[in-house]
Amino acid sequence: MGNHGYFMLLLVLSILLPCSVSSTTRRFKFNVGWKKVTRLCHTKSILTVNGEYPGPTIVVHEGDNVEVKVTNHVALNTTIHWHGIRQYRTGWADGPAYITQCPVSFGKSYTYKFTVVDQRGTLWWHAHLSWQRATVNGAFIILPRMPYPFPVPIQKEIPIIFGEWWNSDVIAIENEMIQTGDGPNSSDAYTINGLPGPLYSCSLKDTFIQTVEYGKTYLLRIINAALNDELFFAVANHTLTVVEIDATYTKPFTTEAIMITPGQTTNVLLTANQQQQQQQKTASDSTGSMFVMAARPYLTSVFPFDNSTTIGFLHYKSTTKTEPSSSIQPPFPPYTLPKNLPAMEDTKFATDFADNLRSLASFQYPCKVPKTVDKKVITTISLNLQDCPVNENCKGYLNKRFLASMNNQSFVRPSMSILESHYKNLKSGHLFSGFPEKPPNPFNYTGVDPVKENMNTEFGSKLIVVPFGTKLEIVLQDTNFLNPENHPIHIHGHNFFIVGRGFGNYDAEKDPLGYNLVDPPERNTVAVPVGGWAALRINADNPGVWFIHCHLEEHTTWGLAMGLIVQGGKNPSQRLLPPPPDFPPC
Ligand SMILES: *[C@@H]1O[C@H](CO)[C@@H](O)[C@H](O)[C@H]1NC(C)=O
Ligand SMILES: *[C@@H]1O[C@H](CO)[C@@H](O)[C@H](O)[C@H]1NC(C)=O
Ligand SMILES: *[C@@H]1O[C@H](CO)[C@@H](O)[C@H](O)[C@H]1NC(C)=O
Ligand SMILES: *[C@@H]1O[C@H](CO)[C@@H](O)[C@H](O)[C@H]1NC(C)=O
Ligand SMILES: *[C@@H]1O[C@H](CO)[C@@H](O)[C@H](O)[C@H]1NC(C)=O
Ligand SMILES: *[C@@H]1O[C@H](CO)[C@@H](O)[C@H](O)[C@H]1NC(C)=O
């Protein structure tokens, strides 16, 4: 072995050793219960984990075994999903109700057990039954075994979770939309770490304020846990350097703002580099040492939505006096929104931002995008307007019922765990196969006037079935039914590579020529451009049943979902593990 080979061997050992030597089991207890919470002067009982809103932050190291014992103390079913965790061979712990498991019922417990393999960064966890995730969510942080590949030292890491607050009960909002066929009531506020901030009435005391020190750099771990809205986020007078998305490192790039969809996470570096001209003034009589941070929706739908803005503050710590934390109050109005916050309709910003996202693709963190494909699926992602059944009163547009579909299949949740059925029937074929691999009736998907007279859909629970190790390409095609919209599509159990995106109709001849097969962004949730398409490549190397759905909760409710079954491989290490003994029954 020459010098070069020896050096390589050392390098490889130094990467592998820490993981194999020091893997530990981290145990957590999640108690799901009601808690009275007041926001905007409205008090209501919300579902929480351990009484916290947002929920507790989980911090583990890459390579750790994780065990979370979830105990349900409420007379509702629940499940928890570990959003973005690969769950290699442990699909039993993924969490989506009736896809991988039956719910944890009142008084029962279930311990989710999985290992965090080859992932590092910010992910999150949330309830995965009905709209419970509105309040049942929190950060899931995976600390790396190797130093961060960032250019500067980090002073502090700060989780920033965006959410949506309704003054009324969220489950009632969902039930109402299911019953009437209409869209859901919009939320009453957006929140930063559960706090709406001073732009809402009766909300001044519920304002997020983050203290920073001049000259230091902070890592913001940003999570969009909102139910139905993609968001822009900016901090006045500060730029953000994106370094990681969905727990994969990116080539760092500096931006005035970010766009983040429900389901996505984005790590950014923020350097507190603004001079403090107004040291002598107290926080309450000046915004001199306070900078507004703001989030508001990226809007691509014509339907009613929450068009409000949540703000919080970056507070520069005084270098000349000690400030008791009680003196750090939000400044008095008026508040000026950051000039760098994109307008709600700024599709150009959203597009440019997405174009700038690239995998780091370094020696240590190679980009494993499949260069060839074994199977290609093209699917529409669509809203629908269903004819109202006789004797029903539908309150959606034109007295019809809103629905949504992929390849004209509106997903219906079965009443058992698909994963369990699949596992028990491995020999006798598949109960749920047969998802159409291309649009059943091609039309001009994004044309000005696609088939408006018939926007009905079909119902089913059909999934794509692929052998272990399939290199799969999925093209997601938005449609103009009702209106085009930017849809955040989330895939469970696998990361994917976004090799191409564009507006209009996907062209199977021309568009693949422009794919990025070098350093495409790797994610678990893609923002499919409004009136456009996105092409994803997946190494289908995780045996199990994996939900694929729009992370706008209203669209999932309407059926914008399907799933992927990855069969076991020849080698026993390529097969699903047996179900755990406490796996919840139906
Ligand atoms: C939704 O909004 C309508 C109109 O404001 C209201 O009548 C209804 O009670 C709301 N639904 C819920 C569940 O709060
Ligand atoms: C922040 O930016 C605004 C306009 O973009 C400018 O008017 C203001 O002076 C800046 N504030 C500071 C403290 O630099
Ligand atoms: C939000 O929508 C309401 C109702 O459509 C409208 O009156 C208001 O001006 C909008 N606000 C913003 C900031 O666009
Ligand atoms: C689809 O519709 C658009 C807009 O109406 C039109 O420009 C385009 O030519 C149509 N494409 C096809 C293939 O018909
Ligand atoms: C979807 O299915 C419905 C019900 O079978 C049918 O009427 C409609 O034409 C289909 N639409 C498309 C675009 O395939
Ligand atoms: C909880 O889930 C079980 C299994 O699907 C179901 O039989 C039961 O009705 C559900 N209970 C509630 C309160 O929704």
Side-chain angles (χ1 to χ4, degrees), residues 419-449:
L419 180 65
E420 195 177 356
S421 315
H422 164 68
Y423 184 77
K424 288 178 176 164
N425 288 286
L426 282 177
K427 290 198 181 65
S428 59
H430 302 286
L431 294 169
F432 297 96
S433 59
F435 180 82
E437 290 171 14
K438 54 184 177 33
N441 301 299
F443 60 101
N444 191 348
Y445 308 108
T446 55
V448 166
D449 190 26

Side-chain angles (χ1 to χ4, degrees), residues 152 213 215-218 238-239 269-274 314 316:
V152 281
E213 283 178 59
K216 300 282 168 52
T217 295
Y218 297 81
H238 292 75
T239 57
L269 304 180
L270 178 147
T271 299
N273 58 4
Q274 295 299 299
L314 208 60
Y316 277 62

Side-chain angles (χ1 to χ4, degrees), residues 277-323:
Q277 305 107 329
Q278 316 224 10
Q279 278 309 342
Q280 73 284 5
K281 295 196 183 175
T282 65
S284 59
D285 64 25
S286 161
T287 58
S289 60
M290 291 273 192
F291 293 87
V292 173
M293 60 174 82
R296 73 174 164 208
Y298 166 40
L299 155 72
T300 59
S301 168
V302 299
F303 294 102
F305 69 105
D306 178 350
N307 63 4
S308 64
T309 303
T310 178
I311 66 170
F313 297 91
L314 208 60
H315 163 251
Y316 277 62
K317 189 173 167 183
S318 171
T319 49
T320 55
K321 63 178 188 336
T322 43
E323 302 161 295

Side-chain angles (χ1 to χ4, degrees), residues 363-437:
F363 175 75
Q364 267 169 18
Y365 304 103
C367 178
K368 297 174 185 162
V369 56
K371 309 269 196 229
T372 57
V373 295
D374 304 316
K375 186 186 189 72
K376 182 161 173 169
V377 173
I378 302 180
T379 175
T380 57
I381 47 179
S382 185
L383 298 183
N384 297 92
L385 208 49
Q386 195 78 3
D387 295 337
C388 196
V390 201
N391 300 330
E392 243 182 70
N393 180 14
C394 302
K395 294 203 174 127
Y397 186 60
L398 299 175
N399 296 321
K400 297 189 183 192
R401 175 174 278 279
F402 286 119
L403 283 165
S405 63
M406 299 179 79
N407 272 351
N408 211 29
Q409 299 289 309
S410 188
F411 187 81
V412 180
R413 243 176 26 192
S415 54
M416 76 269 241
S417 144
I418 300 180
L419 180 65
E420 195 177 356
S421 315
H422 164 68
Y423 184 77
K424 288 178 176 164
N425 288 286
L426 282 177
K427 290 198 181 65
S428 59
H430 302 286
L431 294 169
F432 297 96
S433 59
F435 180 82
E437 290 171 14

Side-chain angles (χ1 to χ4, degrees), residues 125-190:
W125 56 267
H126 61 79
H128 212 303
L129 177 57
S130 72
W131 284 23
Q132 293 174 8
R133 76 173 179 84
T135 53
V136 179
N137 62 60
F140 192 110
I141 293 170
I142 307 164
L143 298 173
R145 293 283 168 186
M146 300 288 289
Y148 290 127
F150 308 151
V152 281
I154 307 296
Q155 174 74 4
K156 195 175 176 207
E157 305 188 355
I158 303 160
I160 303 266
I161 304 181
F162 300 128
E164 267 177 286
W165 169 268
W166 277 262
N167 288 333
S168 17
D169 178 51
V170 178
I171 307 300
I173 302 281
E174 184 199 9
N175 288 340
E176 185 176 64
M177 79 176 266
I178 292 172
Q179 209 171 31
T180 63
D182 198 359
N185 285 4
S186 302
S187 51
D188 295 291
Y190 294 104

